[in-house]
Amino acid sequence: MNHLRHTAFLLLNLSFLASFAAPREKAISPNLFGIFFEDLNYAADGGLYAEMVQNRSFEYQPSDIDTHKNPGGLYNPFTAWTVEKTHSLCHVTIESRCPLNANNTHYAQIEIVSPGDAGAGLGNTGYDGMVVRQGAVYNFSAFLRTTAAAMPVDVQLVAGDKQHTVLAAATFTASGDEWRRYDARLTATASSDSAKLRVLFRAEGTVAADMVSLFPQDTYKGRANGLRRDLAETIAALRPAFMRFPGGCLAHGDGIANIYDWKRTIGPVEQRREDSNIWNYRQSFGLGYYEYLLFCEDIGAKPLPVLAAGVSCQNSSRRRGDGQQAIPMERMGEYVQDVLDLIEYCNGPATSTWGKKRAEAGHPAPFHLEYVGVGNEDHITPEFEQRYALIVKAIRQHYPDIKIVGTAGPDWHGWDFEHGWAASRREAVDVVDEHYYCSPGFFLKNFHRYDAYPRTGPKVYLGEYASWGSTLYNALAEAAYMTQLERNGDVVEFASYAPLLARIGHTQWNPDMIYFDSRGVYPSVNYEVQRLFGEHRGTRYIGGVVGVADSVASSCVRAAGGDLIVKMVNYGSRSAEVKINLSGLGRLPAEAALVVLTGSKNAKNTRDKPATVVPQTSSIAAAKRMTRTLPPYSFTILRLKQQ
Ligand code: AHR
């Protein structure tokens, strides 16, 4: 009996030991976890771009909005504007006879017939009303010209109450019938969540107004033409290794005329020609390539711009799947040159044609571009393949050090996936961009997808992925999947959840990682997972550390500084016991930091209950061999400082 018990004990121990193969280490891409920014869901205008005036240049057009998708939602050059006349009289028209410049063709003309005591003019309600905070400073600017010898101008921020309580005010005098920029600074003496900007003219005469703009002074890093600080900081907290931008479908556009043209997004903002947005609104390009590159630099993310592969989105002109348009071959030379010019803009010396424009914008040093994306989940057609080959060849020829990220369709399998990969292998691009939005079950079932990927040829960029939902369960499915991305960090070069930002009330795509409105930022539980992976990233993967258990996915990585990080995801409804074996991994500290993200399966972080599921941090005693009980529906991280 004793003998039997002894044998059983030995067998048990052997099987326990067998589940711990000797630690296997391999390098992980230092770029693995990053972000994908697309001007979708009002992510740029009305979002990260801190401009508070909507339609500042009176360029909105009815054609910007697909009325099939948005019945009743119409745009026109006066969208978001109001005529302001209290005991006064004025006529406002939209004109284009004497524009500010050839790229900015519409402006408002205000004929002040009788200014009364208060003046008459324009109001702007911003994006769902402006949020003004007591004590905050706002920078106003506008281009004006007037027939009056001296036109007194009152700029006010007024509350959304019936009395239009004035929250901030500034005054200046405009003169001259030539366009001229005027600036004013306003300091708010009270707060409002539904404020309006008013520009009132206080003498008889005619005024033309364009590029009427208002920024909070407190932008991210205090930059002019800058970014919303709260949103930028929330993004920066992800510690993204890279940022892919500006899209997505936005990059290849709604038809070839709408392909994102980086050149029209740089230089003085009033000269950037606006365009419609494939997502059914307008893009001002105030947040353009220069600002994107600067933001990347500010947050320590490598820029990964995506350029169309000479074809537009296959969903162009409301044709689902077969709407792809190709730039005519005789115009491809010019298009390819635009791609090469972008690389020069980013990396060329300040004396080069395009490097000079970067320097003039305020950045003589290069942006150190390493990667360029060519194509976005395109339909793989002969037209695509021909143009793709042309662009790749030109980049290789002129910039052999630039790594090219190709594309493999909008799904995890199928025609575009197969043919996108085949074309990318043929062109020997460096990385291939895969996209898939699926059920949590997909992510949990395909937990070994990349284990079997070939280790030769292009690497993988999981450029867009998300499970369908914002619950803790969705976030855990993603976390489980991300442990395999770490395990396969030798073949998966980059990964980014998508979409990143969504303005509440203006979303074209759900779920999203970070929701916001003008008042605040409401990160999802999915964001918390992404943030934890960003904070606890590794440069080496170590296999065989966490024992196998039902409903548990795990990984162990070593951070650049030497810390050991163990991640364990229990996506099941019961607690799970796991064994952790850190022997052979060097001296360990007495304590490990413990981070746990847990809650009920369907818990969400929302605007009304923003911090329902957030990580809790504590510490536990560390040992070479540990057993931990993982709570149901939980993500646990152990971090052991290097000794
Ligand atoms: O992330 C949202 C959209 O999903 C992207 O624009 C596109 O690339 C994909 O279809």
Side-chain angles (χ1 to χ4, degrees):
M1 190 66 179
N2 262 349
H3 170 74
L4 273 178
R5 214 183 276 148
H6 182 68
T7 315
F9 175 78
L10 265 179
L11 281 174
L12 233 163
N13 263 323
L14 278 175
S15 71
F16 173 73
L17 285 174
S19 66
F20 297 123
R24 285 174 298 120
E25 290 208 17
K26 59 180 173 180
I28 298 178
S29 159
N31 304 320
L32 187 54
F33 297 122
I35 52 172
F36 163 45
F37 182 96
E38 174 164 25
D39 186 5
L40 157 70
N41 304 323
Y42 283 61
D45 294 303
L48 184 60
Y49 186 47
E51 172 64 84
M52 293 168 71
V53 174
Q54 183 175 187
N55 189 17
R56 66 183 174 190
S57 54
F58 306 94
E59 298 295 328
Y60 277 23
Q61 296 300 323
S63 55
D64 292 340
I65 287 197
D66 175 355
T67 43
H68 291 263
K69 289 190 201 146
N70 214 348
L74 281 182
Y75 267 4
N76 62 63
F78 212 60
T79 295
W81 290 99
T82 52
V83 178
E84 299 291 313
K85 40 184 183 184
T86 315
H87 310 303
S88 56
L89 183 62
C90 71
H91 302 301
V92 178
T93 51
I94 299 296
E95 302 290 341
S96 55
R97 275 168 306 159
C98 289
L100 186 55
N101 58 59
N103 292 335
N104 197 339
T105 52
H106 296 93
Y107 57 93
Q109 183 163 294
I110 308 104
E111 187 197 343
I112 301 99
V113 181
S114 159
D117 286 341
L122 298 171
N124 189 282
T125 48
Y127 296 90
D128 308 325
M130 294 180 183
V131 169
V132 170
R133 289 288 169 258
Q134 184 176 10
V137 177
Y138 298 90
N139 293 329
F140 168 88
S141 64
F143 283 83
L144 303 174
R145 56 184 175 75
T146 177
T147 55
M151 173 63 76
V153 185
D154 282 356
V155 181
Q156 301 172 344
L157 279 165
V158 296
D161 56 10
K162 277 206 176 119
Q163 299 72 37
H164 296 311
T165 308
V166 176
L167 308 168
T171 303
F172 60 89
T173 302
S175 60
D177 207 9
E178 295 293 321
W179 285 111
R180 199 182 125 194
R181 179 179 157 136
Y182 295 86
D183 289 273
R185 182 168 288 189
L186 294 94
T187 303
T189 52
S191 300
S192 168
D193 283 357
S194 52
K196 178 192 253 198
L197 172 74
R198 285 206 304 210
V199 188
L200 302 171
F201 304 102
R202 302 202 33 225
E204 282 178 23
T206 301
V207 179
D210 206 350
M211 289 300 283
V212 182
S213 167
L214 186 77
F215 275 86
Q217 191 182 56
D218 184 21
T219 55
Y220 186 58
K221 305 263 180 196
R223 295 196 187 288
N225 193 46
L227 307 180
R228 240 179 86 167
R229 187 156 71 82
D230 55 354
L231 272 172
E233 283 175 356
T234 308
I235 294 171
L238 291 163
R239 305 180 196 208
F242 67 90
M243 180 169 102
R244 172 178 177 243
F245 64 92
C249 292
L250 185 92
H252 58 178
D254 188 3
I256 51 174
N258 188 242
I259 286 177
Y260 196 97
D261 176 358
W262 74 270
K263 285 182 176 171
R264 76 197 245 191
T265 75
I266 59 166
V269 284
E270 69 277 8
Q271 284 171 22
R272 300 182 189 177
R273 188 157 50 88
E274 295 190 354
D275 202 355
S276 58
N277 178 322
I278 194 169
W279 295 109
N280 219 25
Y281 57 100
R282 194 161 186 87
Q283 38 189 345
S284 76
F285 299 126
L287 169 51
Y289 255 72
Y290 180 72
E291 291 76 20
Y292 280 126
L293 291 162
L294 213 51
F295 183 49
C296 287
E297 188 172 84
D298 282 344
I299 63 176
K302 292 184 179 178
L304 171 41
V306 179
L307 298 147
V311 295
S312 74
C313 181
Q314 53 269 35
N315 301 325
S316 294
S317 308
R318 271 188 259 132
R319 289 171 56 178
R320 192 106 203 121
D322 70 346
Q324 182 184 83
Q325 297 170 20
I327 295 177
M329 281 309 281
E330 62 272 19
R331 280 176 45 206
M332 275 305 288
E334 194 188 324
Y335 185 75
V336 167
Q337 191 56 51
D338 285 349
V339 175
L340 300 177
D341 290 345
L342 173 64
I343 301 172
E344 184 176 288
Y345 180 76
C346 295
N347 290 357
T351 48
S352 62
T353 309
W354 289 95
K356 187 160 176 265
K357 294 190 193 296
R358 181 195 68 233
E360 281 163 2
H363 203 287
F367 279 116
H368 305 293
L369 185 74
E370 292 177 40
Y371 300 89
V372 168
V374 179
N376 169 66
E377 61 173 53
D378 296 287
H379 186 26
I380 310 299
T381 56
E383 290 76 15
F384 165 86
E385 294 196 42
Q386 198 181 9
R387 286 154 184 79
Y388 187 54
L390 211 65
I391 299 168
V392 170
K393 190 172 161 215
I395 299 175
R396 288 275 183 258
Q397 191 185 337
H398 294 271
Y399 295 101
D401 293 340
I402 291 286
K403 295 212 169 77
I404 300 173
V405 181
T407 185
D411 211 342
W412 57 274
H413 67 162
W415 171 278
D416 294 327
F417 181 81
E418 301 296 338
H419 289 78
W421 262 100
S424 297
R425 284 190 189 286
R426 202 166 48 244
E427 302 307 331
V429 304
D430 302 278
V431 187
V432 175
D433 182 11
E434 299 188 349
H435 297 175
Y436 38 89
Y437 298 91
C438 300
S439 66
F442 170 90
F443 288 95
L444 296 172
K445 264 189 237 124
N446 289 282
F447 183 66
H448 290 284
R449 178 181 174 93
Y450 296 111
D451 295 351
Y453 264 49
R455 263 50 186 175
T456 53
K459 297 202 174 193
V460 177
Y461 172 24
L462 178 49
E464 297 182 25
Y465 72 95
S467 78
W468 296 326
S470 304
T471 68
L472 173 62
Y473 188 62
N474 293 100
L476 292 177
E478 288 149 13
Y481 206 70
M482 290 170 84
T483 62
Q484 83 146 315
L485 301 181
E486 289 188 321
R487 184 170 71 245
N488 289 290
D490 54 331
V491 69
V492 181
E493 176 78 12
F494 310 104
S496 46
Y497 177 101
L500 179 67
L501 295 182
R503 183 178 181 95
I504 295 172
H506 299 272
T507 59
Q508 295 84 40
W509 190 286
N510 265 303
D512 303 286
M513 199 204 296
I514 302 166
Y515 290 87
F516 66 92
D517 57 21
S518 296
R519 281 180 304 148
V521 181
Y522 319 103
S524 62
V525 191
N526 317 62
Y527 168 88
E528 297 300 339
V529 162
Q530 296 291 327
R531 192 176 61 75
L532 289 172
F533 270 85
E535 183 178 346
H536 300 287
R537 68 180 67 233
T539 52
R540 296 193 70 74
Y541 178 81
I542 307 170
V545 168
V546 182
V548 178
D550 271 356
S551 317
V552 172
S554 66
S555 65
C556 177
V557 297
R558 197 181 278 285
D563 290 5
L564 279 171
I565 301 162
V566 182
K567 301 191 182 80
M568 295 163 290
V569 183
N570 178 9
Y571 49 86
S573 58
R574 301 205 183 126
S575 47
E577 194 165 277
V578 288
K579 300 206 183 298
I580 302 159
N581 182 358
L582 296 167
S583 43
L585 294 174
R587 275 186 58 212
L588 298 180
E591 281 197 335
L594 173 71
V595 183
V596 182
L597 181 77
T598 188
S600 60
K601 184 181 181 186
N602 293 318
K604 285 182 181 183
N605 292 338
T606 61
R607 172 162 62 181
D608 297 333
K609 291 192 178 155
T612 305
V613 191
V614 286
Q616 304 299 327
T617 305
S618 59
S619 61
I620 56 164
K624 286 205 184 301
R625 286 169 187 268
M626 295 183 268
T627 301
R628 272 215 77 74
T629 302
L630 308 176
Y633 303 120
S634 65
F635 176 29
T636 301
I637 299 176
L638 287 178
R639 185 167 189 137
L640 299 100
K641 282 228 162 306
Q642 201 212 7
Q643 292 304 288

